[in-house]
Amino acid sequence: MDNQQLYFETFGKPEKVIKLKNRQIAPLMKGEILVEMLYAPINPSDLIPVTGAYSPRTPLPSLLGYEGVGIVRSVKNVADQYLLNKMVLPLRGEGTWQRFVVTQADYAIVVPDEIDLLTASQAYINPVTAWVLCVEEFQLKRGDILVINAANSSIGKSFVQLAKLLGFHLIAIVRHECARKELEKLGAFFVINSTSENVKEKIMQITDGKGVTAAVDSVGGVQGTILATCVKKGGNFRTIGLLSGKQVDWQFLTTELDISVAIFHLRHWLDQ
C-alpha cells in the first residue's frame, strides 16, 4: 500500500478555497482502523465551512467531508480483524474527502450486502438528522404537521418518507414545479411552490389558520424566518442549513414568537 494519500483541505477567509494535497499515512493508534474510501458525497454541510461560516466550531484549515463509504484495509487491534475487507461507514473520524480515512473501530458501521454503495455513502447525515428531529426533538405523532423547505433535497426526501412511515403530515416547500410530482409520490401531504405561491398564506389555509406543529429550515434568511412564523404557539422550529448564506432573524424569532427555536447540529446530538 502506498504510504502517501490525497486529501482535500479547505482554507477560510480571505482565500475561501479548497486545495488537493498529499500527506503521509500515520501509523494506526489503539482502536483505530484505516478505511480506503470509495464514495464520499458532497453535502451543503461539507461546503459551508469553505465560506468561513462555521469558523467558530470548525477551525480552518480543515479536512473536508462528513460521510461516505469505504473498505477496511488495516486495523490496529486483533479484536477488530473481523472488519478487514468489510464495507463500512467510517463515522466521526477524519474528513471523508480522502483516499484513506482513519477512525475508531467502534465508529465503523458495516454496510449490509443488500444496500448499494452509493446509497450507503449517503446513509448517515441526512437520514439520521431527519429521524432524530422527527422522533426525538419533535416527537411527531399521527395528525401532527411538519413543514420543511428545500424539500427536493436529499434530506427533504428523507423527511417526506419518514412522514409516510410514521404517520404525520408533511408540507413540502420547493422552488420549482417539476419537483411536485416526485414529492407527492414519496408521500408529501401538500407541496407548495414558493416561486408562485405565498408560503405563509398557503400553510395557514392548509392548517385552518392553526399553523404547523413543527418546521425545519434548510435555507435561512427571509425564507427561514417566514417559515418560523407558520409554527403554532408552543411548536418547534429548527434550522439545519444555510443554503441562502444568510441567518434567520434570530432576535425576532426568540422575542416575538412563542415557539421553541434552535439550531440543530447532528454532531452535538451524537456527543450526548
Side-chain angles (χ1 to χ4, degrees):
M1 183 187 301
D2 186 337
N3 69 345
Q4 294 277 339
Q5 74 155 320
L6 296 174
Y7 71 100
F8 286 91
E9 189 174 53
T10 180
F11 296 78
K13 298 176 180 178
E15 297 92 348
K16 297 182 181 178
V17 296
I18 300 172
K19 294 182 180 178
L20 179 63
K21 301 181 71 174
N22 287 282
R23 72 170 182 172
Q24 297 284 335
I25 299 175
L28 295 177
M29 305 295 287
K30 181 179 178 181
E32 290 183 337
I33 63 173
L34 183 69
V35 180
E36 181 177 4
M37 297 303 296
L38 299 177
Y39 296 103
I42 300 174
N43 289 310
S45 56
D46 295 319
L47 299 178
I48 290 175
V50 179
T51 69
Y54 284 172
S55 56
R57 68 183 182 88
T58 306
L60 303 178
S62 175
L63 292 170
L64 283 169
Y66 287 121
E67 64 180 341
V69 64
I71 185 168
V72 179
R73 294 301 190 190
S74 181
V75 302
K76 181 65 174 180
N77 295 1
V78 174
D80 297 325
Q81 288 186 350
Y82 74 96
L83 288 171
L84 286 172
N85 300 317
K86 294 285 183 65
M87 296 295 176
V88 300
L89 308 183
L91 307 185
R92 311 202 73 192
E94 304 173 316
T96 55
W97 290 14
Q98 305 184 77
R99 281 184 57 197
F100 296 97
V101 167
V102 174
T103 190
Q104 292 289 320
D106 289 344
Y107 293 151
I109 306 301
V110 177
V111 178
D113 293 337
E114 62 267 25
I115 299 180
D116 68 89
L117 297 184
L118 283 175
T119 299
S121 72
Q122 304 171 69
Y124 171 40
I125 293 176
N126 289 332
V128 174
T129 296
W131 176 268
V132 171
L133 283 171
C134 292
V135 176
E136 295 196 8
E137 287 276 306
F138 303 151
Q139 299 182 19
L140 296 173
K141 57 187 182 297
R142 291 186 180 277
D144 287 341
I145 302 176
L146 172 69
V147 62
I148 63 170
N149 52 24
N152 198 40
S153 63
S154 293
I155 193 166
K157 293 173 184 176
S158 292
F159 278 113
V160 174
Q161 292 174 85
L162 275 175
K164 187 174 182 179
L165 289 169
L166 300 177
F168 61 87
H169 296 311
L170 185 133
I171 299 174
I173 300 174
V174 298
R175 292 187 301 166
H176 303 290
E177 190 63 27
C178 61
R180 183 182 299 274
K181 287 185 178 180
E182 181 184 9
L183 292 172
E184 289 176 342
K185 184 177 180 180
L186 286 174
F189 173 63
F190 207 97
V191 179
I192 299 174
N193 183 343
S194 62
T195 302
S196 58
E197 299 175 281
N198 183 299
V199 170
K200 185 169 183 177
E201 286 184 4
K202 203 67 178 179
I203 289 175
M204 290 305 167
Q205 178 184 337
I206 296 167
T207 62
D208 294 325
K210 299 175 182 177
V212 297
T213 311
V216 177
D217 169 46
S218 297
V219 178
V222 174
Q223 294 180 57
T225 302
I226 291 174
L227 199 66
T229 66
C230 299
V231 178
K232 67 182 181 181
K233 183 178 179 179
N236 291 284
F237 173 84
R238 297 291 182 271
T239 176
I240 61 172
L242 208 64
L243 293 176
S244 68
K246 299 178 181 179
Q247 296 285 347
V248 295
D249 187 343
W250 287 108
Q251 183 175 2
F252 171 76
L253 266 58
T254 55
T255 60
E256 301 297 325
L257 301 181
D258 190 9
I259 61 175
S260 169
V261 300
I263 300 173
F264 177 82
H265 292 303
L266 182 62
R267 186 174 64 119
H268 295 167
W269 178 82
L270 290 167
D271 289 341
Q272 296 173 6

